[in-house]
Amino acid sequence: MDPVNDLDTELPSHVERALADYLERAGEGIGHVEQFAEPRRALVSFVLGGGKRMRPTFAWWGWRGAGGAPGGDRAEAALYAISALELIQACALIHDDVMDDSHSRRGAPTVHVSFAARHTERGWHGSADRFGLASAVLIGDIALAWADDMFNSAGLPATALSAAQPAWHAMRTEMLAGQYLDMVNQVTADPSPEAAMRVDELKTAAYTVQRPLHLGAALGGAGPELIEALQAFGRDVGIAYQLRDDLLGLYGDPAVTGKPAGDDLREGKRTLLVALGLEHATQQGKDPLASAISDAVTDPEPTDTQIERAVSALDEVGAVDSVERRIGELTGSALAALERADVAEPAATKLAELAHTATSRTF
């Protein structure tokens, strides 16, 4: 089969192809530096080792929705450009694992943990943990730099590249701002649902769905009205996606999600689920349940028992049901925005399907 003409039906495999092709050539200029081989291999393994490829998928369908056709050199250039989003995602995940002190990702040791282990195994000088953390920071930085390189060398027409720059620039800044807000919410123990929603909007919605759609549509030559409608759709789908992720983090199967259950509570994350749990427990006069939730997110090292009590309390006070309702409402408003937009087929149908998949997933 022509490797370009089946892009609509086999997009993830084509994203893998584009990434593998680019990563094989990336960093050639310093290939003679022997010590750089290990971090390079680690990044390549991380990028190609899994992931749902959601960001390129939404970007592709934004491009198709603006009239992009899945054949020819322009489609291949669009593919390479949107595949660069996976390198931004790699940067975000590697750094996120450092900030959250997470030990596993996709069922394997996180980058900082694996590099600390290398240090220990080889009997190197200094702190193994500090070496692991520093290595992960730098490897994440390499991913971000290579994302720019891959995007700008994708072979896009100058007009398309120029049109997409605002989305590309905004997405990176919003992602980093959202990550910072997430940290601030943890250290200030901000219990408000509004604070949690601000993080969801910037850290997840903007760079997972909203800006990829904006990016793809801009590459396809979309006008302001279509871009605005797709961004409205993407914002609500993105927030709902994160809310589903919050639920899966506590109630999902670790064998399916790839992360230990209860990690968000152990890391002190102030998710909307936690914020609503505290709010509902207080309003209902259930102080012991409020304490159970609060203790799990404020204790530097909560026990498994504390986590289990908090998970039960969140369900008992109705926080889980509230989050489920919000997911339903956001999905509905997103689909309504999509219906109002002049999105070309088959993109309109595919985006509606993606909205349901992203917000009702079990992984």
Side-chain angles (χ1 to χ4, degrees):
M1 183 177 289
D2 185 327
V4 172
N5 288 336
D6 66 335
L7 278 165
D8 279 354
T9 57
E10 303 293 337
L11 182 63
S13 66
H14 285 289
V15 170
E16 296 277 340
R17 169 175 64 83
L19 287 167
D21 179 70
Y22 176 77
L23 290 170
E24 185 177 356
R25 297 176 281 108
E28 285 180 339
I30 55 172
H32 63 284
V33 181
E34 183 180 348
Q35 292 89 339
F36 184 67
E38 279 197 334
R40 183 182 180 282
R41 282 196 299 269
L43 178 55
V44 171
S45 177
F46 188 91
V47 173
L48 299 180
K52 294 179 279 293
R53 311 306 186 201
M54 280 190 61
R55 291 154 190 84
T57 298
F58 276 108
W60 175 258
W61 288 107
W63 182 74
R64 292 283 279 121
D73 292 342
R74 183 158 293 193
E76 189 72 356
L79 170 70
Y80 267 71
I82 64 171
S83 295
L85 292 167
E86 286 298 295
L87 288 165
I88 295 182
Q89 168 72 342
C91 167
L93 293 179
I94 292 169
H95 285 175
D96 197 49
D97 287 338
V98 168
M99 288 181 275
D100 293 340
D101 193 24
S102 297
H103 287 188
S104 67
R105 167 75 64 179
R106 299 169 183 160
T110 50
V111 172
H112 66 280
V113 168
S114 65
F115 272 77
R118 283 182 173 86
H119 183 288
T120 299
E121 290 163 3
R122 296 167 188 179
W124 288 345
H125 296 293
S127 166
D129 288 341
R130 284 179 63 83
F131 176 78
L133 293 172
S135 297
V137 169
L138 291 171
I139 291 169
D141 289 347
I142 292 166
L144 188 59
W146 285 359
D148 273 343
D149 293 346
M150 185 177 185
F151 180 75
N152 286 297
S153 64
L156 297 166
T159 52
L161 186 62
S162 177
Q165 288 297 330
W168 183 259
H169 294 160
M171 175 181 52
R172 293 175 304 165
T173 301
E174 289 161 352
M175 176 193 74
L176 296 170
Q179 181 65 68
Y180 182 75
L181 287 181
D182 192 18
M183 292 195 307
V184 169
N185 282 359
Q186 291 180 53
V187 298
T188 60
D190 190 331
S192 68
E194 293 76 19
M197 288 292 283
R198 281 197 299 273
V199 171
D200 289 346
E201 185 170 353
L202 283 174
K203 185 181 175 184
T204 301
Y207 106 101
T208 300
V209 185
Q210 189 176 22
R211 290 302 182 186
L213 279 169
H214 179 184
L215 181 75
L219 289 174
E225 288 186 5
L226 178 56
I227 287 175
E228 184 178 348
L230 287 174
Q231 286 203 77
F233 166 81
R235 174 191 174 277
D236 288 354
V237 169
I239 294 173
Y241 172 86
Q242 181 58 56
L243 297 184
R244 176 61 62 200
D245 200 59
D246 295 342
L247 290 174
L248 290 172
L250 295 186
Y251 303 96
D253 181 354
V256 176
T257 63
K259 294 194 73 174
D263 253 16
D264 283 353
L265 291 176
R266 289 187 178 87
E267 294 159 8
K269 287 190 178 294
R270 295 282 170 164
T271 63
L272 181 67
L273 179 62
V274 167
L276 291 176
L278 291 169
E279 185 179 82
H280 290 355
T282 300
Q283 291 173 347
Q284 296 167 16
K286 296 181 177 179
D287 294 336
L289 296 182
S291 295
I293 298 167
S294 182
D295 289 347
V297 292
T298 56
D299 192 323
E301 296 183 6
T303 64
D304 288 344
T305 299
Q306 283 177 293
I307 298 296
E308 289 169 5
R309 287 174 179 167
V311 169
S312 296
L314 288 167
D315 193 17
E316 186 173 337
V317 300
V320 174
D321 289 341
S322 290
V323 170
E324 286 284 7
R325 282 195 297 274
R326 292 207 184 197
I327 291 173
E329 292 165 358
L330 287 163
T331 304
S333 60
L335 293 173
L338 183 64
E339 289 176 2
R340 294 193 298 270
D342 185 20
V343 179
E345 289 289 3
T349 297
K350 185 62 179 180
L351 286 172
E353 292 173 359
L354 286 170
H356 287 296
T357 300
T359 59
S360 61
R361 62 200 170 90
T362 57
F363 57 92

